PDB file of all heavy atoms in Angstrom:
ATOM      1  N   LEU A   1      90.542  68.185  67.031  1.00  0.00           N
ATOM      2  CA  LEU A   1      89.746  68.444  68.230  1.00  0.00           C
ATOM      3  C   LEU A   1      88.258  68.557  67.892  1.00  0.00           C
ATOM      4  O   LEU A   1      87.407  68.013  68.610  1.00  0.00           O
ATOM      5  CB  LEU A   1      90.236  69.726  68.912  1.00  0.00           C
ATOM      6  CG  LEU A   1      91.570  69.626  69.665  1.00  0.00           C
ATOM      7  CD1 LEU A   1      91.995  70.997  70.159  1.00  0.00           C
ATOM      8  CD2 LEU A   1      91.457  68.650  70.835  1.00  0.00           C
ATOM      9  N   LEU A   2      87.939  69.257  66.794  1.00  0.00           N
ATOM     10  CA  LEU A   2      86.537  69.398  66.401  1.00  0.00           C
ATOM     11  C   LEU A   2      85.916  68.041  66.062  1.00  0.00           C
ATOM     12  O   LEU A   2      84.780  67.736  66.465  1.00  0.00           O
ATOM     13  CB  LEU A   2      86.421  70.347  65.207  1.00  0.00           C
ATOM     14  CG  LEU A   2      86.678  71.831  65.500  1.00  0.00           C
ATOM     15  CD1 LEU A   2      86.662  72.636  64.211  1.00  0.00           C
ATOM     16  CD2 LEU A   2      85.646  72.377  66.482  1.00  0.00           C
ATOM     17  N   LEU A   3      86.661  67.218  65.327  1.00  0.00           N
ATOM     18  CA  LEU A   3      86.146  65.892  64.976  1.00  0.00           C
ATOM     19  C   LEU A   3      86.003  65.012  66.216  1.00  0.00           C
ATOM     20  O   LEU A   3      85.080  64.179  66.295  1.00  0.00           O
ATOM     21  CB  LEU A   3      87.067  65.233  63.951  1.00  0.00           C
ATOM     22  CG  LEU A   3      87.087  65.878  62.561  1.00  0.00           C
ATOM     23  CD1 LEU A   3      88.103  65.175  61.661  1.00  0.00           C
ATOM     24  CD2 LEU A   3      85.700  65.845  61.932  1.00  0.00           C
ATOM     25  N   THR A   4      86.886  65.185  67.185  1.00  0.00           N
ATOM     26  CA  THR A   4      86.789  64.423  68.429  1.00  0.00           C
ATOM     27  C   THR A   4      85.520  64.806  69.200  1.00  0.00           C
ATOM     28  O   THR A   4      84.787  63.946  69.706  1.00  0.00           O
ATOM     29  CB  THR A   4      88.028  64.659  69.303  1.00  0.00           C
ATOM     30  OG1 THR A   4      89.196  64.259  68.590  1.00  0.00           O
ATOM     31  CG2 THR A   4      87.940  63.861  70.601  1.00  0.00           C
ATOM     32  N   PHE A   5      85.264  66.110  69.290  1.00  0.00           N
ATOM     33  CA  PHE A   5      84.032  66.551  69.956  1.00  0.00           C
ATOM     34  C   PHE A   5      82.794  66.058  69.217  1.00  0.00           C
ATOM     35  O   PHE A   5      81.770  65.739  69.822  1.00  0.00           O
ATOM     36  CB  PHE A   5      83.999  68.081  70.058  1.00  0.00           C
ATOM     37  CG  PHE A   5      85.003  68.639  71.010  1.00  0.00           C
ATOM     38  CD1 PHE A   5      85.644  69.843  70.750  1.00  0.00           C
ATOM     39  CD2 PHE A   5      85.320  67.970  72.173  1.00  0.00           C
ATOM     40  CE1 PHE A   5      86.570  70.363  71.633  1.00  0.00           C
ATOM     41  CE2 PHE A   5      86.249  68.465  73.071  1.00  0.00           C
ATOM     42  CZ  PHE A   5      86.885  69.676  72.798  1.00  0.00           C
ATOM     43  N   ASN A   6      82.905  65.993  67.885  1.00  0.00           N
ATOM     44  CA  ASN A   6      81.760  65.577  67.076  1.00  0.00           C
ATOM     45  C   ASN A   6      81.399  64.115  67.307  1.00  0.00           C
ATOM     46  O   ASN A   6      80.296  63.681  66.985  1.00  0.00           O
ATOM     47  CB  ASN A   6      82.062  65.817  65.600  1.00  0.00           C
ATOM     48  CG  ASN A   6      80.828  65.718  64.733  1.00  0.00           C
ATOM     49  OD1 ASN A   6      79.796  66.325  65.034  1.00  0.00           O
ATOM     50  ND2 ASN A   6      80.904  64.931  63.664  1.00  0.00           N
ATOM     51  N   VAL A   7      82.323  63.344  67.834  1.00  0.00           N
ATOM     52  CA  VAL A   7      82.026  61.947  68.154  1.00  0.00           C
ATOM     53  C   VAL A   7      80.950  61.869  69.235  1.00  0.00           C
ATOM     54  O   VAL A   7      80.102  60.963  69.235  1.00  0.00           O
ATOM     55  CB  VAL A   7      83.313  61.224  68.598  1.00  0.00           C
ATOM     56  CG1 VAL A   7      82.989  59.823  69.137  1.00  0.00           C
ATOM     57  CG2 VAL A   7      84.294  61.125  67.437  1.00  0.00           C
ATOM     58  N   PHE A   8      80.958  62.800  70.173  1.00  0.00           N
ATOM     59  CA  PHE A   8      80.042  62.755  71.318  1.00  0.00           C
ATOM     60  C   PHE A   8      78.856  63.698  71.154  1.00  0.00           C
ATOM     61  O   PHE A   8      77.756  63.391  71.612  1.00  0.00           O
ATOM     62  CB  PHE A   8      80.802  63.106  72.604  1.00  0.00           C
ATOM     63  CG  PHE A   8      81.950  62.188  72.887  1.00  0.00           C
ATOM     64  CD1 PHE A   8      83.253  62.564  72.590  1.00  0.00           C
ATOM     65  CD2 PHE A   8      81.733  60.928  73.433  1.00  0.00           C
ATOM     66  CE1 PHE A   8      84.315  61.732  72.862  1.00  0.00           C
ATOM     67  CE2 PHE A   8      82.794  60.075  73.704  1.00  0.00           C
ATOM     68  CZ  PHE A   8      84.089  60.469  73.410  1.00  0.00           C
ATOM     69  N   ILE A   9      79.082  64.873  70.533  1.00  0.00           N
ATOM     70  CA  ILE A   9      78.004  65.849  70.407  1.00  0.00           C
ATOM     71  C   ILE A   9      78.002  66.413  68.992  1.00  0.00           C
ATOM     72  O   ILE A   9      79.003  66.327  68.270  1.00  0.00           O
ATOM     73  CB  ILE A   9      78.171  67.004  71.417  1.00  0.00           C
ATOM     74  CG1 ILE A   9      79.529  67.684  71.223  1.00  0.00           C
ATOM     75  CG2 ILE A   9      77.994  66.524  72.843  1.00  0.00           C
ATOM     76  CD1 ILE A   9      79.729  68.888  72.127  1.00  0.00           C
ATOM     77  N   ASP A  10      76.864  66.980  68.603  1.00  0.00           N
ATOM     78  CA  ASP A  10      76.747  67.626  67.299  1.00  0.00           C
ATOM     79  C   ASP A  10      77.379  69.006  67.390  1.00  0.00           C
ATOM     80  O   ASP A  10      76.919  69.869  68.152  1.00  0.00           O
ATOM     81  CB  ASP A  10      75.280  67.735  66.901  1.00  0.00           C
ATOM     82  CG  ASP A  10      75.123  68.326  65.495  1.00  0.00           C
ATOM     83  OD1 ASP A  10      76.144  68.425  64.783  1.00  0.00           O
ATOM     84  OD2 ASP A  10      73.989  68.686  65.135  1.00  0.00           O
ATOM     85  N   ILE A  11      78.462  69.219  66.613  1.00  0.00           N
ATOM     86  CA  ILE A  11      79.193  70.483  66.719  1.00  0.00           C
ATOM     87  C   ILE A  11      78.651  71.548  65.772  1.00  0.00           C
ATOM     88  O   ILE A  11      79.181  72.666  65.732  1.00  0.00           O
ATOM     89  CB  ILE A  11      80.693  70.275  66.433  1.00  0.00           C
ATOM     90  CG1 ILE A  11      80.908  69.791  64.991  1.00  0.00           C
ATOM     91  CG2 ILE A  11      81.302  69.323  67.432  1.00  0.00           C
ATOM     92  CD1 ILE A  11      82.383  69.723  64.596  1.00  0.00           C
ATOM     93  N   GLY A  12      77.616  71.222  64.979  1.00  0.00           N
ATOM     94  CA  GLY A  12      77.047  72.208  64.060  1.00  0.00           C
ATOM     95  C   GLY A  12      76.588  73.476  64.758  1.00  0.00           C
ATOM     96  O   GLY A  12      77.007  74.587  64.402  1.00  0.00           O
ATOM     97  N   PRO A  13      75.699  73.356  65.780  1.00  0.00           N
ATOM     98  CA  PRO A  13      75.272  74.568  66.497  1.00  0.00           C
ATOM     99  C   PRO A  13      76.436  75.293  67.174  1.00  0.00           C
ATOM    100  O   PRO A  13      76.450  76.517  67.258  1.00  0.00           O
ATOM    101  CB  PRO A  13      74.278  74.029  67.533  1.00  0.00           C
ATOM    102  CG  PRO A  13      73.808  72.726  66.956  1.00  0.00           C
ATOM    103  CD  PRO A  13      74.977  72.162  66.234  1.00  0.00           C
ATOM    104  N   ILE A  14      77.424  74.514  67.648  1.00  0.00           N
ATOM    105  CA  ILE A  14      78.574  75.136  68.307  1.00  0.00           C
ATOM    106  C   ILE A  14      79.371  75.984  67.313  1.00  0.00           C
ATOM    107  O   ILE A  14      79.800  77.104  67.605  1.00  0.00           O
ATOM    108  CB  ILE A  14      79.482  74.068  68.945  1.00  0.00           C
ATOM    109  CG1 ILE A  14      78.724  73.337  70.055  1.00  0.00           C
ATOM    110  CG2 ILE A  14      80.762  74.687  69.480  1.00  0.00           C
ATOM    111  CD1 ILE A  14      79.505  72.225  70.702  1.00  0.00           C
ATOM    112  N   LEU A  15      79.561  75.446  66.091  1.00  0.00           N
ATOM    113  CA  LEU A  15      80.298  76.197  65.066  1.00  0.00           C
ATOM    114  C   LEU A  15      79.545  77.463  64.681  1.00  0.00           C
ATOM    115  O   LEU A  15      80.152  78.517  64.458  1.00  0.00           O
ATOM    116  CB  LEU A  15      80.522  75.316  63.839  1.00  0.00           C
ATOM    117  CG  LEU A  15      81.480  74.137  64.018  1.00  0.00           C
ATOM    118  CD1 LEU A  15      81.570  73.312  62.736  1.00  0.00           C
ATOM    119  CD2 LEU A  15      82.869  74.634  64.417  1.00  0.00           C
ATOM    120  N   ALA A  16      78.218  77.369  64.580  1.00  0.00           N
ATOM    121  CA  ALA A  16      77.432  78.559  64.249  1.00  0.00           C
ATOM    122  C   ALA A  16      77.559  79.613  65.346  1.00  0.00           C
ATOM    123  O   ALA A  16      77.745  80.799  65.070  1.00  0.00           O
ATOM    124  CB  ALA A  16      75.973  78.176  64.042  1.00  0.00           C
ATOM    125  N   GLY A  17      77.469  79.145  66.598  1.00  0.00           N
ATOM    126  CA  GLY A  17      77.634  80.089  67.713  1.00  0.00           C
ATOM    127  C   GLY A  17      79.036  80.661  67.766  1.00  0.00           C
ATOM    128  O   GLY A  17      79.240  81.833  68.085  1.00  0.00           O
ATOM    129  N   ALA A  18      80.032  79.821  67.452  1.00  0.00           N
ATOM    130  CA  ALA A  18      81.419  80.297  67.462  1.00  0.00           C
ATOM    131  C   ALA A  18      81.638  81.356  66.399  1.00  0.00           C
ATOM    132  O   ALA A  18      82.405  82.303  66.591  1.00  0.00           O
ATOM    133  CB  ALA A  18      82.371  79.123  67.250  1.00  0.00           C
ATOM    134  N   GLY A  19      80.944  81.207  65.247  1.00  0.00           N
ATOM    135  CA  GLY A  19      81.081  82.217  64.196  1.00  0.00           C
ATOM    136  C   GLY A  19      80.556  83.563  64.649  1.00  0.00           C
ATOM    137  O   GLY A  19      81.187  84.601  64.420  1.00  0.00           O
ATOM    138  N   ILE A  20      79.397  83.539  65.323  1.00  0.00           N
ATOM    139  CA  ILE A  20      78.835  84.792  65.841  1.00  0.00           C
ATOM    140  C   ILE A  20      79.723  85.362  66.933  1.00  0.00           C
ATOM    141  O   ILE A  20      79.994  86.575  66.984  1.00  0.00           O
ATOM    142  CB  ILE A  20      77.406  84.549  66.371  1.00  0.00           C
ATOM    143  CG1 ILE A  20      76.497  84.070  65.225  1.00  0.00           C
ATOM    144  CG2 ILE A  20      76.849  85.818  67.013  1.00  0.00           C
ATOM    145  CD1 ILE A  20      75.118  83.644  65.679  1.00  0.00           C
ATOM    146  N   LEU A  21      80.212  84.484  67.809  1.00  0.00           N
ATOM    147  CA  LEU A  21      81.103  84.938  68.876  1.00  0.00           C
ATOM    148  C   LEU A  21      82.402  85.507  68.305  1.00  0.00           C
ATOM    149  O   LEU A  21      82.911  86.526  68.771  1.00  0.00           O
ATOM    150  CB  LEU A  21      81.399  83.774  69.824  1.00  0.00           C
ATOM    151  CG  LEU A  21      82.346  84.086  71.003  1.00  0.00           C
ATOM    152  CD1 LEU A  21      81.732  85.155  71.904  1.00  0.00           C
ATOM    153  CD2 LEU A  21      82.653  82.817  71.795  1.00  0.00           C
ATOM    154  N   GLY A  22      82.918  84.839  67.256  1.00  0.00           N
ATOM    155  CA  GLY A  22      84.142  85.329  66.635  1.00  0.00           C
ATOM    156  C   GLY A  22      83.965  86.698  66.013  1.00  0.00           C
ATOM    157  O   GLY A  22      84.864  87.547  66.070  1.00  0.00           O
ATOM    158  N   LEU A  23      82.794  86.933  65.424  1.00  0.00           N
ATOM    159  CA  LEU A  23      82.510  88.253  64.857  1.00  0.00           C
ATOM    160  C   LEU A  23      82.479  89.309  65.948  1.00  0.00           C
ATOM    161  O   LEU A  23      82.997  90.422  65.773  1.00  0.00           O
ATOM    162  CB  LEU A  23      81.175  88.215  64.113  1.00  0.00           C
ATOM    163  CG  LEU A  23      80.745  89.514  63.401  1.00  0.00           C
ATOM    164  CD1 LEU A  23      81.758  89.879  62.327  1.00  0.00           C
ATOM    165  CD2 LEU A  23      79.352  89.362  62.820  1.00  0.00           C
ATOM    166  N   ALA A  24      81.887  88.956  67.088  1.00  0.00           N
ATOM    167  CA  ALA A  24      81.831  89.919  68.192  1.00  0.00           C
ATOM    168  C   ALA A  24      83.222  90.182  68.763  1.00  0.00           C
ATOM    169  O   ALA A  24      83.582  91.316  69.080  1.00  0.00           O
ATOM    170  CB  ALA A  24      80.901  89.396  69.287  1.00  0.00           C
ATOM    171  N   VAL A  25      84.009  89.104  68.892  1.00  0.00           N
ATOM    172  CA  VAL A  25      85.356  89.259  69.442  1.00  0.00           C
ATOM    173  C   VAL A  25      86.236  90.077  68.504  1.00  0.00           C
ATOM    174  O   VAL A  25      87.102  90.846  68.944  1.00  0.00           O
ATOM    175  CB  VAL A  25      85.974  87.867  69.716  1.00  0.00           C
ATOM    176  CG1 VAL A  25      87.453  87.998  70.069  1.00  0.00           C
ATOM    177  CG2 VAL A  25      85.218  87.173  70.836  1.00  0.00           C
ATOM    178  N   SER A  26      86.025  89.933  67.191  1.00  0.00           N
ATOM    179  CA  SER A  26      86.880  90.625  66.229  1.00  0.00           C
ATOM    180  C   SER A  26      86.791  92.140  66.379  1.00  0.00           C
ATOM    181  O   SER A  26      87.767  92.850  66.141  1.00  0.00           O
ATOM    182  CB  SER A  26      86.503  90.226  64.802  1.00  0.00           C
ATOM    183  OG  SER A  26      85.185  90.651  64.489  1.00  0.00           O
ATOM    184  N   PHE A  27      85.615  92.634  66.789  1.00  0.00           N
ATOM    185  CA  PHE A  27      85.486  94.078  66.995  1.00  0.00           C
ATOM    186  C   PHE A  27      86.315  94.535  68.190  1.00  0.00           C
ATOM    187  O   PHE A  27      86.757  95.682  68.227  1.00  0.00           O
ATOM    188  CB  PHE A  27      84.013  94.451  67.199  1.00  0.00           C
ATOM    189  CG  PHE A  27      83.204  94.383  65.935  1.00  0.00           C
ATOM    190  CD1 PHE A  27      82.326  93.336  65.729  1.00  0.00           C
ATOM    191  CD2 PHE A  27      83.331  95.359  64.956  1.00  0.00           C
ATOM    192  CE1 PHE A  27      81.571  93.265  64.566  1.00  0.00           C
ATOM    193  CE2 PHE A  27      82.579  95.293  63.791  1.00  0.00           C
ATOM    194  CZ  PHE A  27      81.706  94.247  63.593  1.00  0.00           C
ATOM    195  N   GLY A  28      86.488  93.665  69.159  1.00  0.00           N
ATOM    196  CA  GLY A  28      87.288  94.028  70.321  1.00  0.00           C
ATOM    197  C   GLY A  28      88.738  93.648  70.193  1.00  0.00           C
ATOM    198  O   GLY A  28      89.541  93.942  71.080  1.00  0.00           O
ATOM    199  N   ALA A  29      89.109  92.967  69.128  1.00  0.00           N
ATOM    200  CA  ALA A  29      90.504  92.542  68.917  1.00  0.00           C
ATOM    201  C   ALA A  29      90.985  92.994  67.546  1.00  0.00           C
ATOM    202  O   ALA A  29      91.515  92.216  66.770  1.00  0.00           O
ATOM    203  CB  ALA A  29      90.609  91.029  69.061  1.00  0.00           C
ATOM    204  N   GLN A  30      90.759  94.275  67.273  1.00  0.00           N
ATOM    205  CA  GLN A  30      91.116  94.802  65.964  1.00  0.00           C
ATOM    206  C   GLN A  30      92.621  94.757  65.726  1.00  0.00           C
ATOM    207  O   GLN A  30      93.071  94.545  64.607  1.00  0.00           O
ATOM    208  CB  GLN A  30      90.594  96.232  65.818  1.00  0.00           C
ATOM    209  CG  GLN A  30      89.078  96.336  65.821  1.00  0.00           C
ATOM    210  CD  GLN A  30      88.587  97.752  65.591  1.00  0.00           C
ATOM    211  OE1 GLN A  30      89.338  98.601  65.142  1.00  0.00           O
ATOM    212  NE2 GLN A  30      87.333  98.006  65.910  1.00  0.00           N
ATOM    213  N   SER A  31      93.407  94.977  66.792  1.00  0.00           N
ATOM    214  CA  SER A  31      94.864  94.951  66.623  1.00  0.00           C
ATOM    215  C   SER A  31      95.345  93.560  66.216  1.00  0.00           C
ATOM    216  O   SER A  31      96.269  93.425  65.414  1.00  0.00           O
ATOM    217  CB  SER A  31      95.557  95.375  67.923  1.00  0.00           C
ATOM    218  OG  SER A  31      95.220  94.486  68.982  1.00  0.00           O
ATOM    219  N   LEU A  32      94.675  92.515  66.773  1.00  0.00           N
ATOM    220  CA  LEU A  32      95.043  91.151  66.399  1.00  0.00           C
ATOM    221  C   LEU A  32      94.719  90.883  64.933  1.00  0.00           C
ATOM    222  O   LEU A  32      95.505  90.262  64.214  1.00  0.00           O
ATOM    223  CB  LEU A  32      94.315  90.158  67.299  1.00  0.00           C
ATOM    224  CG  LEU A  32      94.694  88.676  67.131  1.00  0.00           C
ATOM    225  CD1 LEU A  32      96.153  88.469  67.482  1.00  0.00           C
ATOM    226  CD2 LEU A  32      93.800  87.805  67.999  1.00  0.00           C
ATOM    227  N   VAL A  33      93.578  91.372  64.487  1.00  0.00           N
ATOM    228  CA  VAL A  33      93.200  91.217  63.080  1.00  0.00           C
ATOM    229  C   VAL A  33      94.196  91.956  62.188  1.00  0.00           C
ATOM    230  O   VAL A  33      94.614  91.457  61.144  1.00  0.00           O
ATOM    231  CB  VAL A  33      91.773  91.726  62.853  1.00  0.00           C
ATOM    232  CG1 VAL A  33      91.412  91.672  61.372  1.00  0.00           C
ATOM    233  CG2 VAL A  33      90.779  90.912  63.671  1.00  0.00           C
ATOM    234  N   LYS A  34      94.600  93.158  62.618  1.00  0.00           N
ATOM    235  CA  LYS A  34      95.590  93.919  61.854  1.00  0.00           C
ATOM    236  C   LYS A  34      96.914  93.166  61.766  1.00  0.00           C
ATOM    237  O   LYS A  34      97.591  93.189  60.735  1.00  0.00           O
ATOM    238  CB  LYS A  34      95.808  95.286  62.497  1.00  0.00           C
ATOM    239  CG  LYS A  34      94.636  96.243  62.354  1.00  0.00           C
ATOM    240  CD  LYS A  34      94.950  97.571  63.030  1.00  0.00           C
ATOM    241  CE  LYS A  34      93.782  98.537  62.913  1.00  0.00           C
ATOM    242  NZ  LYS A  34      94.070  99.823  63.611  1.00  0.00           N
ATOM    243  N   ASP A  35      97.295  92.501  62.885  1.00  0.00           N
ATOM    244  CA  ASP A  35      98.539  91.718  62.880  1.00  0.00           C
ATOM    245  C   ASP A  35      98.493  90.637  61.805  1.00  0.00           C
ATOM    246  O   ASP A  35      99.450  90.464  61.046  1.00  0.00           O
ATOM    247  CB  ASP A  35      98.764  91.071  64.256  1.00  0.00           C
ATOM    248  CG  ASP A  35      99.148  92.084  65.316  1.00  0.00           C
ATOM    249  OD1 ASP A  35      99.617  93.169  64.946  1.00  0.00           O
ATOM    250  OD2 ASP A  35      98.970  91.787  66.510  1.00  0.00           O
TER     251      ASP A  35
END
């Protein structure tokens, strides 16, 4: 899916934003991380 999106748009900024978003989500999903 990532490579497919990369055909049309540059996914570099999206991945960087997703990393920051994932860090924020991880604080609110601690039980999932524990799982």
